[in-house]
Amino acid sequence: MRVLLTGTSGQVGGALLPLLNTSHVVLAPQRAELDLSRPETVAEALDGLVPDLIVNPAAYTAVDKAEDEAELALRVNAASPAAMAAWARKRNVPLIHFSTDYVFDGSGETPWREGDRCGPLSSYGRSKWEGERAIQASGAAHLILRTSWVYAAQGTNFLRTMTRLARERDELRVVADQFGAPTAAASIAEATSAIIDRRTNTTDLAEDFAAAEGLVHLANAGATSWHGFATAIVDGLKLRGQAVKAATIHAIATSEFPTKAIRPANSRLDTSRLRQAFGVSMPSWSQAMHRELDRLIRLG
Ligand SMILES: NC(=O)c1ccc[n+]([C@@H]2O[C@H](COP(=O)([O-])OP(=O)(O)OC[C@H]3O[C@@H](n4cnc5c(N)ncnc54)[C@H](OP(=O)(O)O)[C@@H]3O)[C@@H](O)[C@H]2O)c1
């Protein structure tokens, strides 16, 4: 298949590229060729690329900045995915899109299921929810994969920030009242390529997507808090003989670490539909983290 993959400079797109490359012709346009902040140009760009399948991990992901750039976030996360979906419907091309736990309001303690009511607390969450709804309304064959707390050995993310801070500071203070599943970009990429490679043609893929109601939660198994994740990262660094200064990791409340955007307290995602519809089981967040820590240390 000719697969259009966006966001290859990002965590998920970057992890997907080598996996999809092994059995597909991957079209990986850079921003100059496909700029999602300009939704009015998307159809023409797609006309030039002619993919059989679109995979769209590109997004405006600066959660706090989105409070001040709501209009830009909406263009990248909602209007451009809507334009992609409109193009995809006309050409009968299935679309895989990524979304977030931040579409939920974070209430309760049980994992969110796909059909649960959304109620985003932030501008970023609203833009992603609007993108979901535009794709769902488009009539295109689609699969929206909602994930959470994404990190990788490269890029800007919690794993890398904690690793740096643990090497620099004696004490860390980390939020302990938000719960979710840290999810490695590599795990997301492996699951996504497994979903695609079950089928050899886009008609069967479209049927699979419809059977899953076009919406699936995809996150590493289990859950923890940011404090739990930070503690596991620091322990993992020590286990690997890395020099770590941080002797204490204080558990703090969200109220002690104010941020511009409000984050959901409960970000747990129920991933049973992923297993039932696609036969994909996710590794635990801890297993995935250890693999990514090995990678991070190899990269230096
Ligand atoms: N990161 C998380 O914690 C998290 C959590 C839940 C869900 N998600 C979702 O998972 C998906 C993948 O996230 P990620 O962590 O891989 O994101 P990321 O690392 O921030 O990468 C975003 C990608 O989108 C591209 N992009 C941004 N604006 C663009 C534009 N105007 N035109 C074209 N490309 C543009 C970026 O390109 P440049 O390099 O040029 O900026 C980059 O390649 C997204 O849908 C995100 O909403 C992420």
Side-chain angles (χ1 to χ4, degrees), residues 20-50:
L20 296 181
N21 251 336
T22 59
S23 40
H24 303 281
V25 175
V26 180
L27 314 162
Q30 297 310 300
R31 252 188 216 224
E33 211 183 333
L34 179 63
D35 182 353
L36 302 187
S37 68
R38 298 171 64 215
E40 68 285 1
T41 64
V42 166
E44 198 184 330
L46 294 178
D47 281 341
L49 293 160
V50 218

Side-chain angles (χ1 to χ4, degrees), residues 25 35 59 61 85 92 120 134 164 177 185 191 204 232 234 244 253 271 279 281 298:
V25 175
D35 182 353
T61 56
N92 244 343
R164 177 175 53 78
D177 56 1
D204 290 346
V234 172
V244 167
T271 59
S281 292
R298 263 202 316 275

Side-chain angles (χ1 to χ4, degrees), residues 77-79 81-82 85 95 97-104 114 116-120 125-139 142-147 214-217 269:
N77 292 346
L95 165 67
H97 178 74
F98 292 85
S99 191
T100 170
D101 51 315
Y102 284 17
V103 297
F104 293 115
E114 286 82 354
D116 287 341
R117 182 183 40 82
C118 292
R126 279 188 292 278
S127 71
K128 294 297 291 183
W129 188 34
E130 198 152 312
E132 289 188 6
R133 286 185 296 170
I135 291 168
Q136 286 161 341
S138 69
H142 66 270
L143 180 66
I144 296 166
L145 297 170
R146 277 192 196 133
T147 188
L215 181 59
V216 166
H217 287 172
L269 298 176

Side-chain angles (χ1 to χ4, degrees), residues 43 46-47 50-51 86-93:
L46 294 178
D47 281 341
V50 218
W87 187 92
R89 187 193 58 77
K90 271 195 222 141
R91 303 295 179 103
N92 244 343
V93 167

Side-chain angles (χ1 to χ4, degrees), residues 224-257:
T224 186
S225 66
W226 291 111
H227 178 264
F229 188 26
T231 305
I233 292 167
V234 172
D235 288 347
L237 289 169
K238 287 184 189 158
L239 193 71
R240 287 163 178 78
Q242 296 289 300
V244 167
K245 261 179 123 185
T248 318
I249 307 173
H250 298 284
I252 62 165
T254 297
S255 55
E256 295 174 80
F257 186 73

Side-chain angles (χ1 to χ4, degrees), residues 10 18 27 41 68 72 80 83 94 134 144 150 157 159 179 197 199 202 212 217 248 250-251 259 268 274 276 283-284:
L27 314 162
T41 64
D68 295 325
L72 175 59
S80 280
I144 296 166
V150 180
N157 57 60
L159 177 85
F179 296 89
D197 288 338
R199 302 296 178 199
T202 54
H217 287 172
T248 318
H250 298 284
T259 52
R268 300 170 182 91
L274 177 71
Q276 282 150 15
S284 73

Side-chain angles (χ1 to χ4, degrees), residues 110-123:
T110 51
W112 294 97
R113 296 174 70 99
E114 286 82 354
D116 287 341
R117 182 183 40 82
C118 292
L121 303 171
S122 62
S123 165

